[in-house]
Amino acid sequence: MSTTPNSSTFTFLATSDISARTKGRAVSTKDFRQGASVGWVPANLGIGPLGHIVSDIPYDSTGDIRLLADPKSLFHLKGIPNLPDFNLCFADLVNNDGTAWESCSRTFLKHAVEELKDNHGITLTASFEHEFTERNTTESTHPFSFSSFVDGEPVGGTVFDILEKAGIEPECWLPEYAPYQYELTMKPSDPILAADRAILLREIVRTCFKAYDREVTFSPVPDASEGGSGVHVHYGLYGRDGEIISFDPSNPGRMSKIASQFNAGIIKYAAPMTCLFAPLTVSYHRLKPNKWSVAQAFCGEQNREALVRICPTNEIGDRKPDKQYHFEFRGGDVGANPWILMGIIIRAGMAGITEDLDPVKVIVGEGPSDEGALDGQPLPSSLEEALSIFESNEVVRSWFSEAWVETFLKVKRDEIARLKDKSIEEQCEVYADVY
């Protein structure tokens, strides 16, 4: 990442919409400078994943806003096969006088980060893990194998190199469990940069696979008969100046009271948040027991079916666990806008602290085997159910503008209506094409 444009012809000013699709407009790099902005249309917020503006949303053909470039989020993209070098700069959606637009997802995250620090003295580091699947391939595959790693070349090496040169700090590339599935992780950063990187990583991976005449999808369920792909968010809580506040070896899970209340908020509001972190009809085919995914809202110690997982610490060679101690939110998928996903984790965590919730219960081992063991915290089993729970929950709704809420609900219900007559296999195919 850089704050200075290079000699590339274009700088693309980018945003990400409700459906987590990257959109924007390109300007000449020679004209790009501090305060650069381009016009944008409020109704664009209502473009669903199927590619049309949904009817009867609060935003119509009237009105204008702007994409205001954030020069701290300027990336130089070099080395994508068959493409010239170019720049991408993430932008905030603002009114024409520069004030924040009510339904800007990036501003939603910015405000959450600011409030966490101002009201609670907490800063947060974050990193997104992405899983994705190569399509239309007939090579033999085996989970986590070297042969599958080699089969990913030269795409994997190209992606990793581009990400490193752009300052996105990739950390690990590996073949995953499902057939033709890969995972790509990034090093932790501040939450806004982490979400920006997540958005850009998706585009770079897709573009590189295409450059090699190969096809990839991030869809949570590319094949109804196989395992799914998630977007996992790792987060660590620290004091205002980076001091350790989460680690307390005397408590269950070695979790301090404030970290425990933060995670208790996530568990409490998991059900009304589900349509935000798992917003596709097929998302609920993944969120089931025994899929190494999430079917119930609980906090588990090193448990990959927990919504909030207490991650292991590396204590080899007398390494200290306190600074590296952190958590993983495992419910998200590619349909969730990363700015929204990161923001709701923070908002729910702050609610847990503000409401002075009891410390979150830490489940050790396999955890609960039925919904009754969760004290009333099962996750919804369909997108429609999830939307209804969100719609009726005043706390989670209050985090957003009413116009954003209404637009989101109509986009998602339009999506449900258009896919309702398709089988699960056909729905999987639709989303695999979109994502």
Side-chain angles (χ1 to χ4, degrees):
M1 187 178 67
S2 171
T3 57
T4 306
N6 60 11
S7 58
S8 303
T9 301
F10 290 117
T11 297
F12 190 87
L13 274 61
T15 186
S16 182
D17 60 13
I18 276 177
S19 299
R21 299 305 302 267
T22 307
K23 295 182 170 70
R25 293 182 177 179
V27 299
S28 171
T29 295
K30 65 181 176 60
D31 295 330
F32 181 86
R33 57 183 61 86
Q34 182 81 19
S37 68
V38 294
W40 199 242
V41 179
N44 287 349
L45 186 72
I47 300 175
L50 304 182
H52 60 275
I53 298 177
V54 173
S55 302
D56 300 324
I57 62 173
Y59 304 111
D60 55 25
S61 60
T62 63
D64 289 279
I65 52 178
R66 298 194 71 80
L67 287 169
L68 176 62
D70 180 351
K72 293 182 292 184
S73 71
L74 177 64
F75 295 87
H76 301 325
L77 303 180
K78 303 177 181 180
I80 300 177
N82 306 323
L83 287 180
D85 297 345
F86 64 96
N87 304 319
L88 183 144
C89 186
F90 286 104
D92 299 321
L93 296 171
V94 300
N95 297 309
N96 290 333
D97 62 1
T99 57
W101 186 53
E102 62 180 357
S103 295
C104 175
S105 299
R106 195 165 188 267
T107 302
F108 169 79
L109 173 56
K110 282 185 170 182
H111 286 171
V113 171
E114 291 166 0
E115 289 182 31
L116 183 65
K117 185 175 183 178
D118 293 345
N119 297 345
H120 303 286
I122 297 175
T123 58
L124 189 145
T125 62
S127 177
F128 286 67
E129 289 181 353
H130 286 82
E131 296 170 334
F132 45 89
T133 303
E134 184 169 4
R135 306 178 72 191
N136 304 320
T137 182
T138 58
E139 297 286 341
S140 62
T141 181
H142 189 81
F144 313 112
S145 66
F146 179 74
S147 61
S148 291
F149 166 77
V150 171
D151 288 342
E153 293 303 309
V155 185
T158 301
V159 168
F160 215 84
D161 186 56
I162 293 167
L163 294 174
E164 284 192 323
K165 289 177 179 177
I168 297 176
E169 296 189 294
E171 186 175 52
C172 190
W173 162 271
L174 67 149
E176 254 286 356
Y177 180 75
Y180 316 113
Q181 185 182 50
Y182 294 91
E183 180 176 278
L184 185 54
T185 69
M186 295 175 282
K187 294 178 181 178
S189 65
D190 73 81
I192 299 165
L193 178 56
D196 288 350
R197 287 172 168 177
I199 295 167
L200 189 50
L201 177 145
R202 301 171 185 183
E203 302 305 328
I204 290 173
V205 169
R206 290 190 191 102
T207 303
C208 285
F209 269 85
K210 184 177 180 180
Y212 286 101
D213 294 322
R214 296 165 73 169
E215 188 177 358
V216 70
T217 180
F218 287 77
S219 171
V221 190
D223 184 332
S225 65
E226 301 290 351
S229 294
V231 176
H232 305 150
V233 183
H234 287 250
Y235 59 96
L237 305 176
Y238 300 91
R240 190 181 299 273
D241 298 312
E243 60 269 27
I244 296 164
I245 64 169
S246 291
F247 185 77
D248 186 341
S250 66
N251 290 338
R254 305 192 293 181
M255 197 187 318
S256 70
K257 178 181 178 181
I258 196 164
S260 189
Q261 289 183 318
F262 187 96
N263 288 325
I266 294 173
I267 300 305
K268 177 179 178 178
Y269 291 106
M273 293 195 308
T274 304
C275 65
L276 302 170
F277 63 73
L280 310 179
T281 63
V282 297
S283 298
Y284 300 83
H285 195 70
R286 185 179 78 91
L287 299 182
K288 292 181 177 181
N290 304 315
K291 289 203 170 193
W292 285 35
S293 181
V294 177
Q296 305 174 72
F298 67 96
C299 177
E301 189 167 19
Q302 301 179 29
N303 186 322
R304 287 175 174 79
E305 292 205 346
L307 180 65
V308 174
R309 181 174 79 111
I310 303 172
C311 296
T313 53
N314 178 6
E315 298 174 39
I316 299 172
D318 295 324
R319 290 179 174 87
K320 293 185 177 181
D322 50 2
K323 188 72 173 179
Q324 55 179 297
Y325 183 78
H326 72 284
F327 313 97
E328 178 187 24
F329 182 89
R330 294 183 56 80
D333 66 44
V334 74
N337 179 310
W339 296 324
I340 296 294
L341 176 55
M342 189 79 253
I344 62 174
I345 291 171
I346 296 173
R347 287 282 173 196
M350 283 196 291
I353 297 170
T354 301
E355 296 173 20
D356 195 25
L357 295 182
D358 290 336
V360 69
K361 182 178 180 181
V362 176
I363 303 297
V364 179
E366 287 296 318
S369 58
D370 57 71
E371 293 182 359
L374 290 174
D375 299 323
Q377 292 301 327
L379 294 181
S381 59
S382 69
L383 179 56
E384 183 55 63
E385 181 187 356
L387 292 172
S388 297
I389 295 172
F390 166 69
E391 189 173 20
S392 63
N393 188 280
E394 294 183 3
V395 173
V396 178
R397 282 186 66 137
S398 72
W399 301 341
F400 304 90
S401 72
E402 274 303 308
W404 189 95
V405 170
E406 184 179 348
T407 302
F408 176 78
L409 290 170
K410 288 188 174 178
V411 164
K412 290 289 121 182
R413 285 177 172 146
D414 174 87
E415 194 174 326
I416 291 170
R418 290 174 182 267
L419 297 177
K420 66 181 178 65
D421 294 329
K422 294 185 180 295
S423 67
I424 182 62
E425 291 79 12
E426 290 170 328
Q427 292 178 45
C428 288
E429 187 68 21
V430 168
Y431 286 120
D433 289 339
V434 171
Y435 292 102

